[in-house]
Amino acid sequence: MATLQSRFEQTQGLTAHDVQLCSRISDLADRLVAQAVLPDREAVYAVLLAADTLCRATCWLLMHMVYARHVFLDGRRLQAADFKLDPQGHAGGSLNMVPAYVGYIAFNTLTAQTRSWMMGQGHCVAAIDACNVLLGNMHAEHAQRYSVSDSGLSTLVKDFYRYTVQSDGRPVSPLGSHVNAYTAGGMLEGGYLGFADLQYVHAPLPGESLVAFLSDGAFEEQRGADWAARWWRHDDCGVALPVMIANGRRIDQRSGIMQAGGVDWLIKHLRHNGFSPRRIDGRDPAAFVLALWEAELEIQAGATALPYIIAEAPKGYGFLNAGTNQAHGTPLTASPYHDENARAAFNAAMAELWTGLAPLQAAVSRLNNHADSGRVRERDHALAHRAPAALLLPEATMAEPPQSAMAAIDSWMQDLVRSNPDRRYRIGNPDELRSNRMGGLLHLLKHRVRDPEAGNDEDPHGSVITALNEEAVVCACLANKAGVNLVVSYEAFAVKMLGAVRQELIFARHLKEAGRPPAWLSLPLIVTSHTWENGKNEQSHQDPSLVDTLANEMSDMVRIIYPGDARAARHALAHVYGERGRIAVMVVAKQDMPVCFDETQAQELARQGACLCLADAGAELELVACGSYQLIEMRKAAERLQKHGLALRLIYLQEPMRFRQPRDAGEASAVHDELVLGHYFSAQAKTRIFLCHGHPEPFLGQLRRLDLGPGRSLALGYRNRGGTLDVAGLMFANACTYAHVLRDLAILLGREAATFLHEQEYAALCGQASPYAIIPMPHQSD
């Protein structure tokens, strides 16, 4: 220990860069000693040396995870039988992540404070898992299997890309190819590159600190990575410390940043977008420690520009073929199991990284000062366990609701904000919030901008994240897990949010299965100006793909809700905010519509997802509507059928996936049992016809419990017909009017197609008369 200070302060023979680094380390040591965080400069240097030892040991173990079946802590040479037949991994990026994550660990140790972390490049998880095992920073599922012993580490490397499956369909191994529910401290999978870049600035609350590990590849993958400084404010955000691992390569070639001019170009670009960038040596944990410390000090001093750390290192530094395309996955050009030269190369590289058990144990002991400093382990950082207090939910009942469901939601959301003024709100808005009839909420919460425009609803501390980029705005809300969130979008454009939403759903489901269910307040994603209301904007705007697709996800994690009117919309939204850890996609009409439900029915729809609108005694015919425009058409059809003397039941299906066949026990908790199903859908029914918002084929397939078979059931819905049309014209083009229901029902019942139709209606369906015998004439028509 007596020689550590002299070793760090010896500058003879060093480059100017290294001399500057030593000077900054000295400043760090002086500050920490002055603050009584550590007793003396020697203790600071000891932590940095421990970080270096841990970095080498982690790289050594990581490459064993990629290639080896056995690990020997004595560093012996591996023989052919010690290697995997089929090595797998993302070695290049993972090796680059090791000094970054170890630097984060050492930064926490030196300052006696555990910060949160997030990693966008989830495929580099081996760096995190390997380091965590050596540190003992694990959840129970890892701690039960892995230890720092030959057998424990051999189990670890065998579990990496193990592939074997249990009888329940889950992997045997708790290790993932990406961050998963068992990764200690993991917050998102990171399978979609770029989403962490959009999320990190919205995640920490004031008083919290987050280190976000990003990549140069992700920077070009997802638009909006350079917008974080637009949203960050020193006085109402937590400390956000973005760290880009700039290794310069994608899988097949140089990254876009390198092709555009390299880090010099990136620095200019970041400065132009409100960041304060600095470049560091990405091979050295001490460089990360210093950069994080200096960036955090800069923020605490009142910085207006967001610090941004760029860590330069050849891809795969620390092993063979670094800086080449080969470094990405398995850097050796042949398998060590089969090839003697590859085996010799691996063993030579491992000999250089090997530290020995005693030095490793000493380093780990030095870094694990949690008990002495009274801080939590990195697996338990604040952002990994969000559980905000329950909201005070305002009354959803309205004596005279507006005819627009979106206007009804707007007024309720304003009441929610006023009832819960101490929460952080994020409203995801890919533009047109006001035209979507949410002008009151916009006026209350304001667009978040750096330089407000006079006369507009803008404020530097606004809560409405507005950008013409659906991924950016939904990620702002997904990140704000300590706060209250709402996304409002055109239905067609919300499809762009699918990747981010699905990744969140999967990660949340895995946490639930691991016994750590997410406790953030559920997130409503309202899609309006929807398929049936967007006829005027051509067929690109007529797209129910989001709800069609998300209905395939597990129903205990995602809700698909079709409020039938303004009352139903308010009660549904209140119900969503009363839940935890789910995303609810609400398909809401913005145009004025009839108020069809009373308060009792609206509450029933929120709780049960269905409502009996008509129930004639002895009815064997059931009409099922899903969607507000579909309900109007089904009510017309029901009225006509009753005039023809048919007994029927009219059911409004607001949340159809509650009636699906559950695919596992978790989903069964969110799906109705046979008793509830029998209340809404009679066992006496011989014919059942559905009119749905989206495509009818997946809808009927997902509701097999309600499908009476091809001769007794029929589903109508969007069938990919569109253009520049009004609502009625679009309904007609897709065979979704009351007249189409009556015609198809007659055929299903074995009667003449025109049985329930007037002459001109039937002629219109046959193309022998104008469609306007069925639908109203457009206002713009001559």
Side-chain angles (χ1 to χ4, degrees):
M1 285 294 294
T3 64
L4 289 183
Q5 181 170 338
S6 60
R7 286 171 61 186
F8 269 88
E9 297 177 359
Q10 173 59 255
T11 60
Q12 184 175 355
L14 296 182
T15 65
H17 174 272
D18 288 338
V19 170
Q20 184 187 46
L21 184 66
C22 289
S23 174
R24 289 160 60 203
I25 289 174
S26 180
D27 291 343
L28 167 66
D30 287 343
R31 179 75 68 94
L32 293 174
V33 172
Q35 293 174 346
V37 178
L38 290 172
D40 51 41
R41 296 167 65 90
E42 295 278 319
V44 176
Y45 299 140
V47 170
L48 295 177
L49 284 174
D52 190 62
T53 299
L54 178 62
C55 182
R56 292 175 60 197
T58 302
C59 290
W60 179 84
L61 179 56
L62 187 157
M63 295 313 300
H64 279 75
M65 292 171 70
V66 173
Y67 282 106
R69 296 179 63 247
H70 300 122
V71 178
F72 301 105
L73 284 164
D74 61 9
R76 74 185 69 168
R77 295 173 60 84
L78 299 188
Q79 305 303 311
D82 295 320
F83 289 95
K84 295 177 179 178
L85 284 168
D86 180 27
Q88 293 289 338
H90 297 89
S94 298
L95 285 167
N96 294 141
M97 264 303 302
V98 172
Y101 186 70
V102 171
Y104 153 80
I105 294 291
F107 181 41
N108 291 342
T109 300
L110 287 168
T111 56
Q113 177 187 346
T114 300
R115 293 156 186 84
S116 295
W117 68 272
M118 170 191 291
M119 182 172 69
Q121 54 273 43
H123 59 280
C124 298
V125 69
I128 308 297
D129 284 331
C131 188
N132 281 341
V133 169
L134 296 178
L135 286 168
N137 176 48
M138 296 177 279
H139 288 308
E141 295 84 358
H142 280 199
Q144 291 164 5
R145 296 174 71 89
Y146 314 132
S147 61
V148 184
S149 65
D150 288 356
S151 61
L153 296 182
S154 293
T155 299
L156 173 78
V157 301
K158 290 175 184 176
D159 274 356
F160 192 54
Y161 283 90
R162 184 171 177 175
Y163 294 141
T164 50
V165 65
Q166 301 180 79
S167 58
D168 63 2
R170 297 176 187 173
V172 168
S173 169
L175 288 180
S177 61
H178 291 66
V179 174
N180 68 14
Y182 304 112
T183 306
M187 293 171 56
L188 79 166
E189 179 188 307
Y192 283 83
L193 289 179
F195 289 152
D197 301 64
L198 305 183
Q199 291 192 25
Y200 71 86
V201 75
H202 303 284
L205 291 172
E208 297 175 336
S209 183
L210 168 68
V211 177
F213 299 111
L214 314 172
S215 71
D216 51 356
F219 190 83
E220 65 184 89
E221 172 86 11
Q222 179 58 60
R223 184 77 175 101
D226 47 3
W227 294 346
R230 295 187 188 184
W231 318 126
W232 181 79
R233 306 288 182 271
H234 171 268
D235 49 352
D236 75 347
C237 294
V239 173
L241 302 172
V243 180
M244 175 188 282
I245 307 300
N247 61 32
R249 305 204 72 82
R250 300 193 294 251
I251 298 174
D252 288 338
Q253 61 175 166
R254 291 173 301 153
S255 66
I257 289 173
M258 293 301 115
Q259 295 183 49
V263 171
D264 289 337
W265 171 87
L266 177 62
I267 287 173
K268 293 177 183 176
H269 179 81
L270 291 171
R271 282 178 178 152
H272 180 70
N273 282 278
F275 293 92
S276 173
R278 75 241 13 235
R279 64 202 304 171
I280 66 169
D281 183 352
R283 302 167 299 175
D284 183 1
F288 286 94
V289 171
L290 283 168
L292 290 169
W293 177 64
E294 290 168 350
E296 193 169 80
L297 286 180
E298 190 175 320
I299 290 175
Q300 291 170 350
T304 56
L306 181 63
Y308 197 102
I309 298 165
I310 305 167
E312 296 180 88
K315 188 165 188 175
Y317 178 79
F319 195 70
L320 288 85
N321 292 317
T324 70
N325 288 342
Q326 187 69 33
H328 175 77
T330 50
L332 295 175
T333 56
S335 166
Y337 180 85
H338 296 288
D339 188 272
E340 183 177 348
N341 290 332
R343 196 157 54 247
F346 178 90
N347 282 321
M350 293 302 96
E352 291 191 19
L353 290 172
W354 181 70
T355 63
L357 182 57
L360 172 61
Q361 290 174 330
V364 168
S365 177
R366 175 72 63 175
L367 293 165
N368 280 339
N369 69 342
H370 304 83
D372 293 339
S373 60
R375 65 187 181 95
V376 299
R377 300 298 295 261
E378 279 72 14
R379 70 176 178 227
D380 298 318
H381 67 78
L383 272 65
H385 303 281
R386 290 301 201 196
L391 292 168
L392 178 60
L393 297 175
E395 179 58 58
T397 300
M398 290 187 82
E400 296 184 9
Q403 288 187 298
S404 167
M406 286 301 297
I409 284 175
D410 183 45
S411 64
W412 188 87
M413 281 299 303
Q414 294 175 65
D415 291 342
L416 178 72
V417 173
R418 294 187 180 105
S419 299
N420 300 271
D422 57 336
R423 304 303 179 99
R424 182 170 70 182
Y425 293 87
R426 286 292 179 265
I427 311 300
N429 172 41
D431 210 6
E432 303 219 35
L433 193 63
R434 192 182 304 281
S435 78
N436 284 326
R437 307 187 85 156
M438 297 285 286
L441 185 65
L442 175 59
H443 182 69
L444 180 63
L445 292 181
K446 305 290 191 298
H447 295 291
R448 189 176 184 89
V449 299
R450 282 195 170 271
D451 299 306
E453 178 185 20
N456 208 347
D457 286 321
E458 296 181 347
D459 189 275
H461 299 96
S463 298
V464 180
I465 306 301
T466 302
L468 281 170
N469 182 283
E470 286 73 15
E471 298 96 319
V473 302
V474 76
C475 281
C477 296
L478 293 172
N480 184 37
K481 290 182 169 64
V484 182
N485 304 286
L486 173 71
V487 180
V488 181
S489 173
Y490 272 28
E491 182 180 25
F493 299 153
V495 178
K496 293 177 65 183
M497 302 178 186
L498 179 61
V501 169
R502 183 173 180 270
Q503 180 171 261
E504 188 69 48
L505 291 171
I506 292 170
F507 199 79
R509 183 49 135 70
H510 290 170
L511 285 172
K512 179 181 175 183
E513 292 175 341
R516 294 182 288 275
W520 35 267
L521 299 170
S522 288
L523 165 62
L525 195 171
I526 294 176
V527 292
T528 186
S529 295
H530 59 58
T531 298
W532 303 101
E533 292 184 326
N534 235 319
K536 69 176 184 178
N537 279 321
E538 265 299 336
Q539 199 165 354
S540 62
H541 288 56
Q542 300 149 23
D543 187 0
S545 296
L546 181 73
V547 287
D548 285 352
T549 303
L550 285 178
N552 296 314
E553 300 303 320
M554 305 307 289
S555 295
D556 54 320
M557 307 312 299
V558 63
R559 301 175 66 182
I560 313 294
I561 304 173
Y562 302 87
D565 70 1
R567 275 202 180 99
R570 284 172 63 95
H571 282 281
L573 185 59
H575 196 267
V576 169
Y577 278 123
E579 294 189 319
R580 303 267 177 169
R582 302 177 79 183
I583 296 174
V585 182
M586 297 177 61
V587 183
V588 183
K590 77 171 182 181
Q591 303 299 339
D592 288 349
M593 303 281 288
V595 177
C596 301
F597 303 111
D598 61 27
E599 292 294 337
T600 301
Q601 290 173 315
Q603 292 169 12
E604 179 185 8
L605 285 164
R607 291 192 315 270
Q608 302 287 65
C611 177
L612 275 172
C613 303
L614 293 172
D616 294 334
E620 296 180 346
L621 167 63
E622 292 186 338
L623 307 183
V624 185
C626 180
S628 52
Y629 288 97
Q630 289 68 28
L631 177 59
I632 291 172
E633 297 302 310
M634 275 301 206
R635 290 174 71 184
K636 293 177 185 176
E639 182 179 359
R640 181 73 61 85
L641 291 169
Q642 286 181 321
K643 287 180 179 178
H644 279 262
L646 270 70
L648 59 87
R649 291 159 64 92
L650 173 59
I651 302 116
Y652 187 69
L653 204 52
Q654 178 166 289
E655 199 169 347
M657 293 308 118
R658 298 198 67 182
F659 294 87
R660 76 185 317 152
Q661 182 66 42
R663 291 163 287 182
D664 64 15
E667 188 168 58
S669 66
V671 171
H672 287 313
D673 59 22
E674 292 298 323
L675 183 64
V676 176
L677 185 147
H679 170 72
Y680 294 105
F681 297 93
S682 172
Q684 298 177 353
K686 294 183 178 179
T687 306
R688 190 172 288 150
I689 186 165
F690 300 85
L691 183 58
C692 68
H693 172 88
H695 291 95
E697 297 84 2
F699 179 86
L700 198 57
Q702 289 151 353
L703 297 180
R704 290 300 306 275
R705 292 171 79 193
L706 306 182
D707 183 2
L708 299 175
R712 298 171 58 195
S713 287
L714 181 67
L716 306 178
Y718 184 69
R719 59 176 190 175
N720 301 326
R721 301 297 296 272
T724 305
L725 299 166
D726 61 5
V727 173
L730 199 58
M731 297 289 280
F732 185 90
N734 286 278
C736 287
T737 70
Y738 72 92
H740 293 91
V741 171
L742 294 172
R743 179 196 64 186
D744 292 352
L745 175 61
I747 295 171
L748 194 64
L749 294 173
R751 304 190 188 189
E752 293 292 331
T755 299
F756 306 122
L757 294 167
H758 300 321
E759 182 179 350
Q760 284 297 103
E761 292 172 334
Y762 184 64
L765 295 183
C766 296
Q768 298 171 0
S770 168
Y772 300 105
I774 296 171
I775 60 175
M777 184 73 71
H779 294 303
Q780 302 298 327
S781 233
D782 293 330

